[in-house]
Amino acid sequence: MKIINASWEERNLGVTCCEVTIEKDDSLLYIQDELSRLSSVQYLVIKVDTPNVEAHFLLAKLGYVFIEANINMFLDVRNYRLSVLEQRFNSQIHYRKLSAQDELDRFEAELDKGLFNTDRIYLDPNFTKARAAHRYKCWIKDEMERGAELFEIAYKEHAIGFFTQKQLDEKTYYPFLAGLYLGNEEKVGLGFSVLAKPIEDVMKRGGRYISTYVSSNNLPIVKLHTQLGFLPNKIYNVFIKHNSGN
């Protein structure tokens, strides 16, 4: 079992938080004992390395609620593929790095519109939509301070979305957040760009692999990853619990 004191979430969400990963070899008694020590934590996020049905039943008994499956998607960029139609659109889609403060302010205004409406925080009635957007802004700022980069995607000079890029090792990258700005999500043929452009960026850098995570609450993005060549690599079932004091 891995227990992380997610102290940053107190700033992001206004609650104390621990993130716990239950591994396949953890006994039920050990799990129960360790979780009992966290009863004073306001917001608990439990990730269960699947399959582990026994742990699922235990968490239900202890009052935890399933909220999503977190799917690790992995790509060898040599398997990257686009349809003929996507290739046609792709030639008119470009991306550029955002760094100036006015650019970052404009980007954050897009996040405030509720860009990620399938996120476990956005869907949780214990948190406001504004809190969900605030958490994303803080997350991106934190990662940029550690060297990650933020890019905006444009179609015919019109900004339509963004992606982030974080290097994990010499050959592996992690675009931890990406999305279309609201008002562009229904435009035919543009959705693929939030995955295609990070892939192309990795290829330009000489990278070989991409490892990222998607939520089962967002089936269209799961499908899009597979269409572009990603394969599911690992699944964590995510359970949450709000203790008194939140």
Side-chain angles (χ1 to χ4, degrees):
M1 177 183 288
K2 298 177 183 177
I3 301 176
I4 298 174
N5 177 19
S7 56
W8 56 88
E9 295 293 26
E10 190 163 4
R11 173 202 61 186
N12 297 348
L13 299 173
V15 293
T16 57
C17 175
C18 277
E19 295 181 356
V20 179
T21 301
I22 294 175
E23 299 168 313
K24 294 175 183 178
D25 294 334
D26 293 334
S27 71
L28 296 182
L29 180 60
Y30 172 64
I31 294 170
Q32 187 162 356
D33 285 346
E34 289 299 305
L35 292 183
S36 68
R37 304 177 196 275
L38 302 176
S39 59
S40 63
V41 178
Q42 292 172 291
Y43 178 52
L44 288 168
V45 181
I46 314 297
K47 299 178 181 180
V48 182
D49 189 0
T50 61
N52 194 338
V53 176
E54 293 84 359
H56 295 174
F57 277 106
L58 174 61
L59 290 172
K61 180 181 177 181
L62 297 176
Y64 289 83
V65 176
F66 175 80
I67 196 162
E68 68 177 359
N70 195 232
I71 309 169
N72 175 232
M73 303 294 287
F74 191 82
L75 175 72
D76 182 327
V77 297
R78 293 174 300 178
N79 296 326
Y80 167 52
R81 56 181 180 266
L82 292 178
S83 69
V84 174
L85 179 60
E86 288 167 342
Q87 291 177 38
R88 200 173 304 155
F89 276 112
N90 197 42
S91 63
Q92 303 178 74
I93 300 174
H94 309 280
Y95 67 94
R96 65 184 184 89
K97 183 177 177 180
L98 298 184
S99 56
Q101 190 56 52
D102 62 326
E103 296 175 331
L104 298 176
D105 291 342
R106 178 171 54 79
F107 166 71
E108 289 191 352
E110 294 290 343
L111 292 185
D112 285 332
K113 297 176 183 179
L115 189 59
F116 296 99
N117 56 16
T118 60
D119 172 67
R120 63 177 166 85
I121 303 299
Y122 187 95
L123 295 175
D124 191 329
N126 290 276
F127 299 119
T128 65
K129 306 301 184 275
R131 272 291 184 185
H134 175 69
R135 178 175 178 266
Y136 276 113
K137 289 187 283 187
C138 289
W139 183 7
I140 292 171
K141 285 180 180 178
D142 288 346
E143 292 293 352
M144 289 179 70
E145 288 176 0
R146 290 190 283 264
E149 296 174 286
L150 172 65
F151 298 89
E152 190 166 65
I153 302 169
Y155 173 63
K156 295 182 177 179
E157 308 307 319
H158 174 65
I160 61 170
F162 82 99
F163 70 90
T164 57
Q165 197 71 278
K166 177 180 179 179
Q167 187 168 3
L168 298 180
D169 59 38
E170 184 180 353
K171 292 293 184 180
T172 310
Y173 288 79
Y174 174 24
F176 57 94
L177 281 175
L180 284 181
Y181 294 153
L182 293 184
N184 296 289
E185 65 274 18
E186 298 302 327
K187 290 184 178 179
V188 177
L190 297 183
F192 78 94
S193 63
V194 301
L195 297 185
K197 293 308 170 184
I199 295 170
E200 292 170 11
D201 183 64
V202 168
M203 295 170 72
K204 286 181 181 179
R205 296 168 187 257
R208 175 77 175 273
Y209 308 108
I210 295 177
S211 178
T212 190
Y213 290 85
V214 296
S215 170
S216 59
N217 294 331
N218 191 346
L219 185 57
I221 199 68
V222 175
K223 289 181 176 179
L224 185 59
H225 275 79
T226 59
Q227 289 169 10
L228 268 64
F230 284 83
L231 292 174
N233 182 54
K234 201 172 187 65
I235 298 176
Y236 293 96
N237 285 333
V238 182
F239 297 77
I240 61 168
K241 185 179 183 182
H242 293 274
N243 289 317
S244 59
N246 180 14

